[in-house]
Amino acid sequence: MDELPHHAPVPVPHTSVPAPEAADLLTWYDRHRRVLPWRALPGETPDPYRVWLSEVMLQQTTIAAVKPYFAKFLTRFPTIDDLAAAPEEAVMSAWAGLGYYSRARNLHACARAVAEAGRFPDTAASLRKLPGIGAYTAGAVAAIAFDRQEAAVDGNVERVMTRLFAVETTLPAARPEIRALTQALVPADRPGDFAQAVMDLGATLCTPKRPACALCPWMAPCRARALGLQETFPRKVKAVKGTLRRGAAFVAIRSGDEAVLLRTRPPEGLLGSMAEPPMSPWEPDYDPAQALLDAPLDARWRRLPGLVRHGFTHFPLELTVFVAKVALSTPPPPGLRFTPRRDLDEEPLPGVMKKVLAHAFDPKPEAAEPLAERAAKRGRPKAMRSLTDTPLFAEPEPEAPAASPRFRPVPKPAPRPAPAPIPDGSIDEFEGPAEAAPPAAPRRRGRPRSR
């Protein structure tokens, strides 16, 4: 039988699928809603502080990563007034590790503005006037905390809507269209639950790969599924990877208390207001051989093997780490400070700086392996990759000093038959059990003959 020719999916007219209904999604949400630390339970009134704090933390960050930070923040700053009254260093320290540190500075500024006003604004337009609150956060807080009929469009919602309506425009250009489509679906009743329902749908069923369409409450009206192209949405412009940058980090450790020399980065720009050991510039053509020209003080700097690698949104980074031990009496250079090792957890150290300090205190030997050798080992069988290459004309290793002479043991001879009884009165009479063997005959002198 001749094989039928393969054809692309036939476009399905928009009139052939029903319109999506918010009620269908809310019915699904009532059964499958996720329980999250910042989400009010059914019947509870949402706390605007918790809603706002969680939405800021969840930007560009996963729920699993946010949960411990959210709990830590509520312990240190139970109310927005507590957060507003805290020093910026304490806020940055509590945020350290979540990334995108401009969010922490804006969070603190926003808390001060709300504390000064006496309450949170309750509309999306007024929320957008606060520091660090954009269209998404304003819509989410207005809908969830104040039950306003507003759309909250995050990455999950973008994926759901582009599939639901088969939006061909690529991101980020498609965002105004996606917002308009989402806003048109927001019901007047339970808009906060609707916002969270769309987020849950994107996170649990309408996932980037292998979406569980058969379980989706919007399976029938989904145009992308009708076309058989659900996994191809949203359309995106391929991201261009940034140029690799290199630099050097200088970890000066003070004798006695193991205090580390640190400084605070400028408030504006990448990792603003965060703590770090002194750094060189990060440049594509940075030469580590000239790094000591960027050292913060005169010391016996030792270059550690290996590199500390970190990926930022727009570029990857490789840092060479230099370590020096300095005297307890060493004064910190202007603008720098010594922080005892036991107090480092209180410093607002971002993830890349924690990697640098971990490498300084505990260098990993495997990191020292040259890149060429690692590449060569990739072609070996797995069982041989741990073997170190030996140069062809390597000098022989010195032999270990000779140990004391050892002799091979000689097997014990079989016992001889017992002699005949000795007559009474003999001076050689043997006293003992009848079955005991007589004394062994004297051995000849000399080294035993080996067998």
Side-chain angles (χ1 to χ4, degrees):
M1 180 183 293
D2 293 336
E3 188 177 32
L4 294 175
H6 175 75
H7 294 287
V10 178
V12 178
H14 290 175
T15 56
S16 65
V17 293
E21 297 288 342
D24 295 333
L25 180 65
L26 288 171
T27 300
W28 171 85
Y29 179 70
D30 289 339
R31 297 176 181 173
H32 303 287
R33 62 185 291 160
R34 291 179 294 177
V35 177
L36 300 172
W38 45 83
R39 182 177 286 179
L41 296 175
E44 292 183 348
T45 301
D47 179 2
Y49 175 53
R50 285 173 168 253
V51 174
W52 163 72
L53 179 62
S54 67
E55 292 299 339
V56 175
M57 285 187 167
L58 286 166
Q59 295 171 20
Q60 307 293 329
T61 313
T62 64
I63 286 178
V66 165
K67 282 182 178 180
Y69 283 91
F70 183 81
K72 182 171 67 172
F73 249 76
L74 287 184
T75 300
R76 294 186 68 171
F77 317 114
T79 67
I80 196 165
D81 293 326
D82 296 320
L83 180 58
E88 184 179 86
E89 294 77 13
V91 177
M92 300 302 288
S93 176
W95 191 274
L98 265 178
Y100 297 92
Y101 295 98
S102 61
R103 292 182 298 166
R105 295 191 297 274
N106 289 329
L107 186 87
H108 196 213
C110 183
R112 289 179 171 176
V114 172
E116 185 177 351
R119 64 179 181 84
F120 261 104
D122 61 357
T123 65
S126 55
L127 284 164
R128 290 205 64 175
K129 297 177 182 178
L130 295 173
I133 294 189
Y136 163 73
T137 305
V141 174
I144 299 170
F146 301 108
D147 225 25
R148 299 286 184 178
Q149 194 174 357
E150 296 287 349
V153 183
D154 67 352
N156 285 320
V157 178
E158 287 178 347
R159 185 166 58 256
V160 171
M161 292 299 160
T162 55
R163 290 174 176 175
L164 191 61
F165 295 99
V167 177
E168 292 289 346
T169 310
T170 56
L171 288 171
R175 281 175 180 154
E177 181 182 356
I178 295 170
R179 173 166 290 280
L181 291 169
T182 309
Q183 185 66 55
L185 288 175
V186 179
D189 182 40
R190 300 178 64 189
D193 284 345
F194 177 83
Q196 296 175 107
V198 184
M199 296 175 194
D200 281 11
L201 184 68
T204 61
L205 297 184
C206 197
T207 51
K209 295 181 179 179
R210 298 183 181 179
C213 296
L215 303 176
C216 179
W218 277 344
M219 178 183 68
C222 182
R223 295 173 184 172
R225 185 180 184 277
L227 295 169
L229 301 173
Q230 58 267 35
E231 289 195 46
T232 67
F233 290 92
R235 311 294 200 205
K236 294 182 180 180
V237 177
K238 187 175 181 180
V240 179
K241 188 176 180 180
T243 303
L244 172 67
R245 301 186 192 179
R246 297 181 174 88
F250 300 92
V251 182
I253 304 173
R254 191 169 63 185
S255 300
D257 58 357
E258 289 194 317
V260 177
L261 188 65
L262 297 178
R263 68 183 182 189
T264 300
R265 292 177 65 89
E268 301 299 330
L270 184 66
L271 305 179
S273 298
M274 302 302 290
E276 67 174 4
M279 292 273 164
S280 72
W282 298 347
E283 300 169 341
D285 56 352
Y286 187 80
D287 184 6
Q290 305 295 323
L292 294 186
L293 297 174
D294 297 316
L297 46 77
D298 291 333
R300 298 182 64 181
W301 294 101
R302 179 170 59 93
R303 178 175 175 173
L304 296 182
L307 296 169
V308 170
R309 294 179 173 87
H310 191 78
F312 291 100
T313 306
H314 301 297
F315 65 92
L317 176 67
E318 289 183 351
L319 292 174
T320 302
V321 180
F322 292 82
V323 173
K325 288 276 190 177
V326 298
L328 187 61
S329 59
T330 303
L336 281 74
R337 62 188 179 276
F338 276 108
T339 298
R341 187 176 180 182
R342 63 179 179 274
D343 297 332
L344 288 176
D345 287 341
E346 302 301 319
E347 291 280 1
L349 291 162
V352 61
M353 304 310 168
K354 290 180 179 179
K355 290 181 185 179
V356 168
L357 295 181
H359 188 63
F361 281 105
D362 185 21
K364 301 300 181 185
E366 61 271 16
E369 187 177 33
L371 185 62
E373 291 187 13
R374 281 183 303 191
K377 285 185 179 181
R378 290 194 192 104
R380 301 182 183 181
K382 287 186 177 180
M384 297 182 62
R385 290 180 186 175
S386 60
L387 300 179
T388 305
D389 287 327
T390 303
L392 184 60
F393 299 104
E395 293 291 333
E397 295 185 1
E399 295 183 0
S404 56
R406 295 190 304 171
F407 300 94
R408 293 180 59 183
V410 178
K412 184 176 179 180
R416 297 180 181 181
I422 302 176
D424 292 341
S426 168
I427 58 172
D428 293 326
E429 182 178 5
F430 172 73
E431 296 181 354
E435 66 271 17
R443 293 183 299 173
R444 291 184 298 174
R445 294 183 180 181
R447 186 173 177 176
R449 181 178 298 176
S450 60
R451 292 174 179 263

